[in-house]
Amino acid sequence: MPITVSSRDSALTIALSGEIDHHAARELMAQLDQAIAERLPAHLVLDLSGVTFMDSSGIAVLLRARRQLGHTGGALRVANIPAQARRVLDAAGIGRLISLD
């Protein structure tokens, strides 16, 4: 799954695209881990505007990113969530743990 990384000051934005399912999750987690470890952002925004499908594997990806940021004291926000992905996140109650825009 391709990701696009941009940073400004202590903020990092990562745009995800395509399907976030069990086939893509492992590679996506590795890419996010690397981006977070290299930049140690105080704020990370995951932009889901390019995501065409997400299942429960996407929840695992978000929770892992949250945990990685927790090690460095960073904060996570998920933005531009497509309707299908929003239903998955809402059903799991992820909004109680992660800021969803």
Side-chain angles (χ1 to χ4, degrees):
M1 162 176 279
I3 67 170
T4 303
V5 179
S6 61
S7 61
R8 187 171 51 133
D9 300 325
S10 62
L12 181 66
T13 299
I14 300 178
L16 309 179
S17 61
E19 295 185 0
I20 304 176
D21 58 14
H22 71 279
H23 296 294
R26 185 168 297 187
E27 178 186 342
L28 183 54
M29 286 181 191
Q31 291 175 333
L32 291 174
D33 286 351
Q34 181 178 356
I36 292 167
E38 287 175 355
R39 293 167 180 88
L40 300 174
H43 302 282
L44 171 63
V45 176
L46 291 179
D47 180 346
L48 302 187
S49 60
V51 172
T52 57
F53 174 81
M54 186 172 82
D55 64 12
S56 60
S57 299
I59 293 169
V61 168
L62 298 182
L63 291 176
R64 181 173 176 128
R66 178 179 177 260
R67 187 179 73 217
Q68 292 300 100
L69 286 166
H71 295 307
T72 62
L76 173 63
R77 182 171 59 92
V78 181
N80 303 315
I81 306 167
Q84 186 274 329
R86 172 65 79 166
R87 285 190 298 275
V88 171
L89 297 174
D90 287 347
I94 296 300
R96 292 177 291 188
L97 301 172
I98 298 172
S99 175
L100 304 176
D101 291 342

